[in-house]
Amino acid sequence: MSEQTLSKRGQRNLPNGSSLAKIIQVLTYSYGDNNPHGMSVIPCLSRNFHLLISSSVSLGVAENGLMHEELASLLTYGDGPFGSRALRSALSSYFNDYFHPVHKVTPDQLLIAGGATSIIDLVTVGVADEGDGILIGRPLYTSFAKDVSARAGSKMIPVSAEHRDPMSEEMVEQYEKELQKQEKAAHIIRLSINTLKAYMRFCHRHKIHLISDEVYAMSIYKTPSSASAVPFTSALAIDTTNLIDPNLIHIVYGMSKDFSSNGLRCGVLLSQSNPSLLASLRSIAMFSWPTSTTEFYWTTLLNDRSFLNDYFAENSRRLAAGYERMTSFFTANNIKWAEGSNAGFFLWADFRGVLGDDIIVNNTTEETGEEQVEALTLNDEKVGQVYKTSKKAKARDEWFFGKLMEAKVFIASGDAFFAEEHGWYRVTFSVPEKVLEVGLERLGRVLEEVGKENDGSAM
């Protein structure tokens, strides 16, 4: 049964006839023009909730319905805390049309919350107990550490690539090694790629959950330099027969990235084969209740297929242009980057070659450049290590970042993303063309200054 795949607290959160579960059911199936056969509720007329009749009105929720028509129902409780029927229906059609699932997605397989961050928090509560680990490959999104620990009390376990391609099947070996070090069964959050089947076998072998983060699914592009990049494959599109217990597969999605709407917090959990997980999370979904206005906005976009097709095509074109402009700049300035990307908003760039090893920091050269292992800690607990570093490399990065701030251009240091080596940066190209040109011009000035420092150090 799917209940057995839940954490202990996830099982405790299963509805089991609670009063909250009854109220949620009322909101979900309330009578209205769009639901004429919905439930009619007059509180306290019956002790048996299931005997409530289908008739006219709900008189049990502290909500002013007198002005709903004027507000177009945008400022009401809607259909409950885990997503309106309209949005879940629109999303299920969207997944079926664009993600090519093996099995058709239905609205009852979806849970909506206030952003993908809330979804990660919720699913961690549902599948992991306090102290359990979440395996995540490095480099990784900086907020994952808080997403899985702040409320859930689970711990993030960064998995080092150690010079392997982090998107390759070779990385499964690293997950195996990291899992051996852990006392409790861990769970995994990983981007879907063509080696996803290997991750599925790994998760099935160890009976751990596979949470596929697919927030960049439609932010894809094609360029001459990325023609050989592996195309995106959703976990939904993989036939899991003889690969993994489908109860263990869950998809995370949201509107922030693909729909350029970071400020409208709306995320989705899709779990096709684990109704117990969804039931458990719905019982605590009120803490991440999405707004009706956001739901209405996203539903409108999703239902307009003509707009979506044009939007995604133009988005792809602009992303490709930004990618080409930035890679051209990197090539001209002898900056290497992780090649083979065809999705997302940024490049993972290696500045070590241009920074050099002899940068003068604070007018003195570091006495030691010897390699050393640097501990990686979260909440004062050691969770891993920076694979290779030196005092000189760390001081060099701090010096370089200071120069960037002086020039008023920000690129994100790899330290924020649990990079394995100093000198890596995340550089975003999904900004308006004028902004990108100004940013690259300022970055170019900094690199020119770095070159002069290198030349001076070499004399």
Side-chain angles (χ1 to χ4, degrees):
M1 294 179 61
S2 61
E3 293 181 18
Q4 297 174 347
T5 67
L6 305 186
S7 62
K8 293 177 181 177
R9 58 185 166 198
Q11 294 177 37
R12 288 196 300 269
N13 288 330
L14 285 169
N16 296 323
S18 68
S19 58
L20 175 60
K22 297 171 183 177
I23 293 173
I24 290 174
Q25 188 172 351
V26 169
L27 291 171
T28 305
Y29 299 104
S30 291
Y31 174 88
D33 291 340
N34 296 325
N35 189 30
H37 302 294
M39 185 177 297
S40 169
V41 183
I42 301 177
C44 302
L45 292 184
S46 171
R47 295 177 62 85
N48 187 339
F49 180 75
H50 299 288
L51 293 181
L52 293 173
I53 61 173
S54 295
S55 182
S56 57
V57 295
S58 169
L59 300 178
V61 179
E63 177 181 24
N64 180 6
L66 300 176
M67 301 298 290
H68 282 182
E69 184 175 345
E70 284 72 12
L71 296 174
S73 299
L74 291 181
L75 303 179
T76 75
Y77 279 133
D79 297 330
F82 50 84
S84 68
R85 288 186 299 273
L87 178 54
R88 285 183 286 118
S89 178
L91 275 167
S92 61
S93 296
Y94 171 72
F95 285 126
N96 288 327
D97 290 346
Y98 291 94
F99 285 55
H100 312 294
V102 173
H103 304 289
K104 185 177 180 180
V105 176
T106 59
D108 61 302
Q109 298 168 350
L110 304 175
L111 181 143
I112 315 298
T117 288
S118 294
I119 292 294
I120 295 293
D121 166 66
L122 279 168
V123 74
T124 305
V125 167
V127 303
D129 284 309
E130 189 168 352
D132 282 355
I134 312 293
L135 291 167
I136 311 178
R138 300 165 68 179
L140 55 92
Y141 176 50
T142 184
S143 291
F144 277 150
K146 287 293 185 183
D147 293 351
V148 304
S149 65
R151 179 168 67 138
S154 301
K155 60 182 180 181
M156 186 184 76
I157 303 171
V159 180
S160 297
E162 298 180 358
H163 299 298
R164 294 169 177 81
D165 180 354
M167 309 302 285
S168 71
E169 194 169 341
E170 286 184 314
M171 270 299 289
V172 178
E173 299 174 11
Q174 297 300 103
Y175 281 87
E176 289 277 9
K177 288 168 55 178
E178 194 62 50
L179 187 59
Q180 301 299 322
K181 304 175 186 177
Q182 307 305 318
E183 296 180 1
K184 296 185 178 181
H187 311 283
I188 175 173
I189 297 175
R190 194 63 190 151
L191 183 67
S192 291
I193 54 177
N194 280 348
T195 55
L196 188 52
K197 289 183 179 181
Y199 286 105
M200 288 181 175
R201 294 189 188 97
F202 165 73
C203 290
H204 182 75
R205 189 160 56 247
H206 297 286
K207 302 303 178 188
I208 61 179
H209 291 261
L210 171 61
I211 306 168
S212 184
D213 181 351
E214 304 190 3
V215 296
Y216 289 103
M218 299 304 297
S219 296
I220 53 181
Y221 50 87
K222 293 181 179 180
T223 68
S225 58
S226 65
S228 61
V230 177
F232 166 73
T233 301
S234 171
L236 297 170
I238 304 266
D239 184 353
T240 61
T241 305
N242 299 323
L243 287 176
I244 187 174
D245 176 357
N247 283 308
L248 300 176
I249 300 178
H250 320 289
I251 311 297
V252 173
Y253 191 64
M255 69 182 301
S256 293
K257 307 305 182 185
D258 285 349
F259 291 85
S260 304
S261 302
N262 292 50
L264 295 175
R265 310 303 299 159
C266 210
V268 187
L269 174 66
L270 169 53
S271 188
Q272 287 195 293
S273 302
N274 201 321
S276 294
L277 174 62
L278 292 171
S280 173
L281 300 185
R282 284 168 184 153
S283 72
I284 57 173
M286 67 171 65
F287 300 110
S288 53
W289 200 322
T291 66
S292 295
T293 48
T294 299
E295 288 187 334
F296 178 82
Y297 174 73
W298 202 9
T299 301
T300 301
L301 293 182
L302 290 168
N303 284 333
D304 190 340
R305 281 294 188 271
S306 177
F307 168 81
L308 277 189
N309 292 333
D310 290 344
Y311 170 81
F312 287 139
E314 180 61 18
N315 185 47
S316 178
R317 187 194 68 78
R318 295 183 188 183
L319 287 173
Y323 174 91
E324 287 290 278
R325 177 65 185 95
M326 182 161 286
T327 55
S328 175
F329 173 86
F330 282 170
T331 299
N333 287 276
N334 298 314
I335 299 170
K336 297 179 180 180
W337 70 93
E339 298 186 40
S341 173
N342 64 348
F345 305 154
F346 44 79
L347 293 177
W348 187 240
D350 182 0
F351 281 76
R352 291 173 298 173
V354 296
L355 290 176
D357 293 326
D358 298 314
I359 287 289
I360 295 177
V361 180
N362 295 329
N363 297 319
T364 61
T365 303
E366 279 285 344
E367 295 180 357
T368 176
E370 296 179 359
E371 290 184 5
Q372 61 184 19
V373 170
E374 181 177 309
L376 178 65
T377 59
L378 289 173
N379 301 324
D380 298 323
E381 179 182 358
K382 182 178 178 181
V383 295
Q385 66 186 41
V386 174
Y387 180 60
K388 184 174 66 176
T389 187
S390 69
K391 289 183 179 180
K392 182 183 292 183
K394 188 172 184 178
R396 176 200 63 197
D397 277 12
E398 292 173 352
W399 174 86
F400 179 55
F401 191 75
K403 291 295 182 182
L404 292 169
M405 292 298 94
E406 288 177 11
K408 292 183 171 55
V409 56
F410 171 72
I411 59 176
S413 171
D415 288 352
F417 307 101
F418 302 87
E420 296 179 49
E421 297 171 296
H422 290 294
W424 290 82
Y425 287 79
R426 191 185 81 171
V427 191
T428 300
F429 57 79
S430 58
V431 296
E433 183 179 357
K434 182 177 180 180
V435 175
L436 182 58
E437 290 303 326
V438 172
L440 293 180
E441 188 273 332
R442 292 179 180 181
L443 178 57
R445 291 206 309 265
V446 173
L447 293 175
E448 184 178 350
E449 184 176 348
V450 168
K452 292 179 180 178
E453 291 281 352
N454 275 323
D455 292 341
S457 299
M459 294 177 64

